[in-house]
Amino acid sequence: MVVNRKRAGELSKAFGLNVVQSRYSDWGNFYGLIQSYPCALWDRSGYIIFSHEDELNMPGISVSKRINVPKGISSLDGYKRVMSVAHLPEELPDRIEYKEGIVKQIKVNRYERDQKARDACLSHYGYVCQVCNIKLCDIYGVVAETLIHVHHIKPLSEIGDSYIVDPVNDLIPVCPNCHAVIHLKSPPYTPQEVSEMFRRE
């Protein structure tokens, strides 16, 4: 399997979506509001496009300081399924995609991830997002007790070769939403930058 860090904006570009903003969420809880239209909301299997703010006024969507779709965006009319992967958006496999009859192949680089380094990082920090301070089991219950991403402070794509990971200084646990925001640009935002964004909401 080939792996790379892919961001929602890169996904929209890769699939030729004519949008000016893209956001990602595993569960339909999109931090913050849409600021520009048209916008694509992504999950791990596909997307939905909103052309203007009025389109958010549909059953199944709650809008306050953030956009929340409790049943996930795949439950909404207009959802387009383009992939079926068990991987995170920034870690998509090499695959052939079929979209409206066009075959697309996405090639990405592979980097090893050391499970022991991940475990040591979580042993030090725990399962609390170091950006927003949320522990997902406090929201979703015991099912999400160990659900957390581990972010490489220096992107693996910049390292190239195998290197020795310091689990405390090189890695940081972040929730999937904060992780997606970190990777909305290249080079990625720092966890501190995203933390400051979160507090402005």
Side-chain angles (χ1 to χ4, degrees):
M1 186 173 296
V2 182
V3 178
N4 188 29
R5 296 176 182 275
K6 300 296 287 184
R7 296 169 288 281
E10 292 177 331
L11 282 169
S12 293
K13 184 176 180 181
F15 287 95
L17 304 187
N18 185 22
V19 296
V20 294
Q21 186 177 13
S22 300
R23 291 182 181 264
Y24 178 90
S25 172
D26 281 323
W27 307 290
N29 191 2
F30 298 87
Y31 285 101
L33 297 175
I34 297 174
Q35 298 167 338
S36 303
Y37 293 89
C39 175
L41 299 184
W42 282 89
D43 65 12
R44 60 177 70 196
S45 297
Y47 65 90
I48 185 169
I49 293 178
F50 294 99
S51 298
H52 49 79
E53 187 174 0
D54 291 344
E55 292 182 357
L56 292 173
N57 297 322
M58 69 167 67
I61 299 180
S62 169
V63 179
S64 56
K65 290 186 176 180
R66 64 191 68 175
I67 297 169
N68 186 30
V69 188
K71 293 184 179 179
I73 62 170
S74 63
S75 68
L76 301 176
D77 289 340
Y79 179 80
K80 304 290 185 184
R81 186 173 299 276
V82 295
M83 66 189 79
S84 180
V85 296
H87 299 277
L88 308 173
E90 64 276 6
E91 299 177 348
L92 298 175
D94 177 23
R95 66 199 181 282
I96 296 178
E97 300 294 349
Y98 297 89
K99 178 175 178 261
E100 298 179 355
I102 299 172
V103 179
K104 291 196 175 189
Q105 187 171 23
I106 299 176
K107 294 283 189 180
V108 292
N109 295 324
R110 180 178 199 170
Y111 296 97
E112 280 191 279
R113 296 177 182 273
D114 188 336
Q115 183 64 41
K116 290 181 181 177
R118 174 186 164 85
D119 293 344
C121 171
L122 295 175
S123 176
H124 177 80
Y125 291 103
Y127 289 85
V128 177
C129 176
Q130 299 300 298
V131 172
C132 66
N133 295 316
I134 289 175
K135 189 172 184 181
L136 292 174
C137 68
D138 292 341
I139 300 172
Y140 301 100
V142 68
V143 68
E145 187 172 4
T146 60
L147 179 59
I148 196 78
H149 290 193
V150 172
H151 171 66
H152 283 72
I153 302 293
K154 182 174 184 179
L156 288 177
S157 58
E158 293 180 6
I159 294 168
D161 296 323
S162 163
Y163 77 113
I164 297 173
V165 177
D166 181 332
V168 174
N169 295 312
D170 294 343
L171 306 177
I172 185 173
V174 293
C175 73
N177 283 328
C178 288
H179 204 188
V181 174
I182 285 172
H183 288 285
L184 282 176
K185 76 177 184 76
S186 182
Y189 289 107
T190 67
Q192 178 62 33
E193 286 173 327
V194 176
S195 180
E196 290 170 0
M197 293 176 198
F198 184 86
R199 289 174 182 154
R200 284 199 295 269
E201 288 294 334

